[in-house]
Structures are given as C-alpha cells and as structure tokens.
Amino acid sequence: MIQWDSLIVEMLILAAIIWFTVYLEHWTYRRTEKQKEQKERKNLIIFIDDDLKQRLRFIDESQQFKDYKPFFTDMWDAVVLAGNQSLLPFNVFQNLQRTYSWMKYYNNELDITNKSGKIDEKVLEELLQDVRKRINGSLALLKVEAK
C-alpha cells in the first residue's frame, strides 16, 4: 500500500530543493549583472570625466592662442549610440547632454563666423566661457556620482 504521507513529504522536500536552487541561481545571476553594471558605470564616468577635462584644456588653448576650432563631441556621440547613457542617472545624463549641446552650439556659431569670413572674438569668448561653466558643473556632478 502507498504511504501517502511520506510521499507528500518527499515531494514537498524535492520541490523546496528545486525552488531554492532556481532562486539561488537567479540571485547569483542578478548579483553578477549588477556588479558588471556598476563597473561599466564607473568606467563610463571615468571616460566622460576625462573627455570633459580634455575639453577644458582645449578651451584654455583656444583662449591662449586665439585659435578657435570646433569641439569634437564624438566621444559623447559614441556613448549615446552605444546606449550606455542608460547606465547614468537621468539627471546626470540630462546635464551631460546639455553640456555637449553647448559645445555643438559653439561649433555652429564658429561655423557661421567662418562662413561670413569675419571672426567675432567677443562672441566666441563668451560662448567658450559658457561652455566652461557647463563643463565645470558637469564635472562637479560626475564627482558626486562617482562616490
């Protein structure tokens, strides 16, 4: 005769073991994905921080030598095209997007100035100061985010 009590207990124990194993595997997977995401976020912040610091040096050189050249924003474009901006909090992404938009605005004004053949240094200097302010604000925000 079948002992239903012992069969039910054995099946419950087996079900608990299977459930716990699946749960443990899923928890481990989530943990490794979270660690991977945090590492990618840290590297992305370092990458953007370095790019913005290079842009500050570029501004210094432009002002020192009165040699106005366009900003290269290909680094930020690469971040956006790769979809890595989703690793950043929205307020950081929004701030960085506005900072790089200022750089592109400067590039447009520089292009217009070059096409007209008349360079208005005052306007370009003011735009460079505005870009510098945006970059410094973004660097401060990235510094807080990196902690």
Side-chain angles (χ1 to χ4, degrees), residues 1-13:
M1 177 153 245
I2 299 177
Q3 294 180 349
W4 290 102
D5 294 345
S6 63
L7 184 63
I8 290 173
V9 169
E10 287 175 7
M11 294 304 244
L12 286 174
I13 291 172

Side-chain angles (χ1 to χ4, degrees), residues 39 126-127 130:
K39 183 179 178 183
E126 288 175 6
L127 283 174
D130 290 339

Side-chain angles (χ1 to χ4, degrees), residues 64-82:
Q64 180 182 359
F65 300 115
K66 303 292 183 196
D67 183 23
Y68 302 103
K69 296 178 185 172
F71 286 102
F72 291 110
T73 60
D74 54 341
M75 297 295 193
W76 178 248
D77 295 339
V79 167
V80 172
L81 287 174

Side-chain angles (χ1 to χ4, degrees), residues 53-112:
K53 287 177 181 174
Q54 287 180 9
R55 301 297 159 240
L56 285 176
R57 284 191 291 275
F58 180 81
I59 291 171
D60 291 338
E61 289 172 5
S62 293
Q63 290 176 329
Q64 180 182 359
F65 300 115
K66 303 292 183 196
D67 183 23
Y68 302 103
K69 296 178 185 172
F71 286 102
F72 291 110
T73 60
D74 54 341
M75 297 295 193
W76 178 248
D77 295 339
V79 167
V80 172
L81 287 174
N84 290 337
Q85 77 277 6
S86 62
L87 296 172
L88 300 170
F90 181 73
N91 65 326
V92 175
F93 166 71
Q94 189 176 34
N95 181 282
L96 290 170
Q97 184 64 33
R98 289 179 180 155
T99 299
Y100 280 94
S101 292
W102 269 100
M103 289 181 212
K104 290 179 182 184
Y105 177 69
Y106 167 82
N107 289 349
N108 288 338
E109 288 297 318
L110 185 62
D111 190 41
I112 291 170

Side-chain angles (χ1 to χ4, degrees), residues 11-29:
M11 294 304 244
L12 286 174
I13 291 172
L14 182 61
I17 291 171
I18 292 171
W19 182 85
F20 181 72
T21 304
V22 170
Y23 174 79
L24 186 62
E25 183 179 338
H26 183 67
W27 177 79
T28 305
Y29 174 76

Side-chain angles (χ1 to χ4, degrees), residues 41-55:
R41 180 181 303 140
K42 181 182 173 187
N43 289 338
L44 181 63
I45 289 172
I46 291 169
F47 173 75
I48 294 171
D49 184 70
D50 181 59
D51 185 54
L52 290 176
K53 287 177 181 174
Q54 287 180 9
R55 301 297 159 240

